[in-house]
Amino acid sequence: MKKYLALLVLVGLWMAGAASADEHDVRFAAVDIYLDSAEPVAAWQFELSDRDGLMKVVGVEQGESPAFKRVPYYDREAVRLGEADRIIVADYSLAAVDELPSGRARIATIHLMLSGDDDADFNLQLVTATTHDGVVTDARLSHVVRTGSEQ
Amino acid sequence: MAREQFADRKAAWRRPAWAAIAATVLLAVVIGQPQFQRSSMPVMSPRPPDISDVLKLARERAGESGAQAEIDALALQVVSLAARGES
């Protein structure tokens, strides 16, 4: 009987240790998304995912352009429920052409929770970028990852 | 006798045939009405909607009261459906 009790205690300790190790594997990062366009951009939409499925989106922040003042559009319900393992973010502006961003500008920052020890392999795709008159413009996306604290 | 029977059968077949022709003509007239013409139906976009469609709508309805809520709802729908692969 004592043998079984000791075994039970050992299994319990091992499970507690494993759960604790899992919690320590979670870390946070912020991904700054930059759009580079020769022409002023009035609307943009992109998709961010992780090829290894390590990420969960926990928040979205607006960029630096005064023409895009508010938080961009994204699936808020999926983020709230912690189900956003990929995200589509978009925004538009009715500002005058000379107020719209051109060149390289940060359009959004995505806050992520990452699991596992490996670096995330992000897949960032531009869905569309258009000028004020709705014409699709040639633009490129890039991102910078800022890692946060480990938990 | 045989000739009378043949005439009766012929008459019995003629009635439904005329009814079918009349129904076809009526259907053609109805389909020919402008509201049933393909050109007057809303043109379906060959691609899923994206933020450029929202921008277009926002430009068209700029200044209208209550329009912003509808535009916001559409924009949220565009990104949510796309994220769930339903667009």
Side-chain angles (χ1 to χ4, degrees), chain A residues 42-45 70 73-77 86 88-95 127-128 130-132 134, chain B residues 49-52 54-56 58-59 62-63 68 71-73 75-76 78-85:
Chain A
W44 49 261
Q45 182 172 335
R70 65 191 165 214
Y73 298 101
Y74 62 96
D75 190 348
R76 289 167 196 209
E77 189 64 8
R86 64 191 272 267
I88 291 172
V89 185
D91 205 0
Y92 72 88
S93 173
L94 296 179
V127 177
T128 190
T130 63
T131 59
H132 74 289
Chain B
D50 61 34
I51 197 71
S52 60
V54 179
L55 172 69
K56 191 180 167 193
R59 284 212 173 281
Q68 190 59 51
I71 293 161
D72 287 344
L76 285 171
V78 163
V79 291
S80 302
L81 294 182
R84 294 169 200 177

Side-chain angles (χ1 to χ4, degrees), chain B residues 14-27:
Chain B
R14 264 185 191 164
R15 259 174 265 128
W18 276 114
I21 290 166
T24 306
V25 170
L26 188 65
L27 192 65

Side-chain angles (χ1 to χ4, degrees), chain A:
Chain A
M1 181 66 187
K2 276 183 182 174
K3 239 186 212 174
Y4 289 117
L5 198 64
L7 190 67
L8 201 66
V9 169
L10 278 174
V11 169
L13 285 172
W14 175 76
M15 284 176 76
S20 166
D22 282 350
E23 282 172 15
H24 281 289
D25 283 347
V26 172
R27 61 198 193 281
F28 292 90
V31 182
D32 292 327
I33 310 292
Y34 291 89
L35 185 71
D36 198 344
S37 165
E39 290 182 272
V41 173
W44 49 261
Q45 182 172 335
F46 68 82
E47 178 178 346
L48 177 72
S49 61
D50 169 41
R51 292 184 181 91
D52 299 325
L54 304 174
M55 72 173 229
K56 284 274 184 288
V57 179
V58 293
V60 176
E61 195 184 318
Q62 74 266 41
E64 61 194 358
S65 170
F68 295 89
K69 281 179 261 186
R70 65 191 165 214
V71 175
Y73 298 101
Y74 62 96
D75 190 348
R76 289 167 196 209
E77 189 64 8
V79 171
R80 192 181 65 79
L81 296 172
E83 294 171 351
D85 53 0
R86 64 191 272 267
I87 193 160
I88 291 172
V89 185
D91 205 0
Y92 72 88
S93 173
L94 296 179
V97 181
D98 56 352
E99 293 172 22
L100 295 172
S102 60
R104 188 173 187 260
R106 182 171 62 82
I107 54 169
T109 297
I110 314 297
H111 295 275
L112 304 172
M113 186 173 75
L114 300 165
S115 56
D117 293 326
D118 298 331
D119 287 338
D121 183 13
F122 293 117
N123 181 24
L124 180 63
Q125 287 185 318
L126 182 66
V127 177
T128 190
T130 63
T131 59
H132 74 289
D133 49 2
V135 176
V136 175
T137 185
D138 190 25
R140 286 195 310 172
L141 280 179
S142 58
H143 68 280
V144 173
V145 181
R146 290 184 281 128
T147 49
S149 60
E150 290 193 7
Q151 297 265 316

